[in-house]
Amino acid sequence: PCLLGGCSLENSLKPKVQWLKGLGMDDSQAAKVVVRFPGLLGGCSLENNPMPKVHWLKGLGMDDSQVAQAIVKFPNLLGSCSLENNLKPKVLWLKNLGMDASQVAKTIVKFPQLLGLSLEINLNSKVQSLRDHGFKDSQIVGAVARFPQLLSYSSKRLEHRAQVVEASGVLTIE
């Protein structure tokens, strides 16, 4: 029988689910990915879309379990995030901020949604806001490496967090 625009269960759907499980996902994790990103089961071939992204993530120093963890948290990593126009520029941005390769990989595992954020609206503006509060880039790198979700905060929430950190004296601002 044909499902999802001509994809057969045996020739398309099962191999894609098996591929997810081959990354180390259990049945419930693979199901979560499929529910959150049903396009995976559609027309894209594994060889043309998800596999190159997984290969690239591994090249950043991530192992299969870390790649699987990132995909479960952010299934669109396999779909709507273009490798050339989205993923690679975000990793370059993290490196230019001052992260080493190990920090970049750990940051992606902790918060893969970062790769779906806008460079201008989210990443650059949030880092600039922290700089405006007097934080040095090395402090920002440390904060983002420990808690990358910080870059997804609204400007108001980020402002409040920066004030709390300043007031607590946890980081001294020079």
Side-chain angles (χ1 to χ4, degrees), residues 101-147:
S102 173
Q103 288 174 309
V104 169
K106 289 176 185 174
T107 298
I108 293 170
V109 172
K110 285 181 186 177
F111 189 61
Q113 297 88 335
L114 180 138
L115 297 173
L117 297 176
S118 162
L119 278 171
E120 290 306 314
I121 295 170
N122 296 99
L123 305 180
N124 288 333
S125 66
K126 303 304 167 53
V127 167
Q128 188 57 52
S129 178
L130 292 168
R131 286 176 179 146
D132 292 346
H133 274 278
F135 294 102
K136 295 183 279 183
D137 282 357
S138 61
Q139 294 170 313
I140 295 169
V141 166
V144 170
R146 283 189 302 279
F147 193 72

Side-chain angles (χ1 to χ4, degrees), residues 10-171:
E10 289 299 318
N11 295 330
S12 184
L13 305 181
K14 280 187 178 179
K16 289 176 181 177
V17 171
Q18 286 305 116
W19 177 76
L20 291 172
K21 290 171 70 175
L23 290 174
M25 292 181 201
D26 61 28
D27 288 339
S28 67
Q29 290 172 320
K32 182 178 178 180
V33 169
V34 169
V35 166
R36 291 180 57 202
F37 181 55
L40 177 66
L41 300 179
C44 70
S45 73
L46 290 173
E47 294 79 16
N48 292 332
N49 191 9
M51 281 183 175
K53 290 175 184 175
V54 166
H55 179 74
W56 178 76
L57 289 168
K58 288 180 181 180
L60 294 176
M62 297 168 67
D63 61 28
D64 280 350
S65 68
Q66 291 172 317
V67 170
Q69 185 179 350
I71 293 168
V72 169
K73 288 180 183 176
F74 188 53
N76 278 347
L77 192 56
L78 297 178
S80 61
C81 291
S82 161
L83 184 58
E84 295 300 325
N85 299 323
N86 194 320
L87 303 180
K88 287 182 178 181
K90 303 292 172 39
V91 167
L92 180 61
W93 183 87
L94 290 168
K95 288 179 178 179
N96 288 339
L97 186 62
M99 285 192 175
D100 62 33
S102 173
Q103 288 174 309
V104 169
K106 289 176 185 174
T107 298
I108 293 170
V109 172
K110 285 181 186 177
F111 189 61
Q113 297 88 335
L114 180 138
L115 297 173
L117 297 176
S118 162
L119 278 171
E120 290 306 314
I121 295 170
N122 296 99
L123 305 180
N124 288 333
S125 66
K126 303 304 167 53
V127 167
Q128 188 57 52
S129 178
L130 292 168
R131 286 176 179 146
D132 292 346
H133 274 278
F135 294 102
K136 295 183 279 183
D137 282 357
S138 61
Q139 294 170 313
I140 295 169
V141 166
V144 170
R146 283 189 302 279
F147 193 72
Q149 296 86 336
L150 183 70
L151 296 175
S152 69
Y153 283 0
S154 68
S155 295
K156 183 177 179 179
R157 186 173 184 197
L158 184 64
E159 175 83 15
H160 174 71
R161 297 286 188 224
Q163 290 171 353
V164 168
V165 170
E166 283 179 57
S168 72
V170 171
L171 295 176

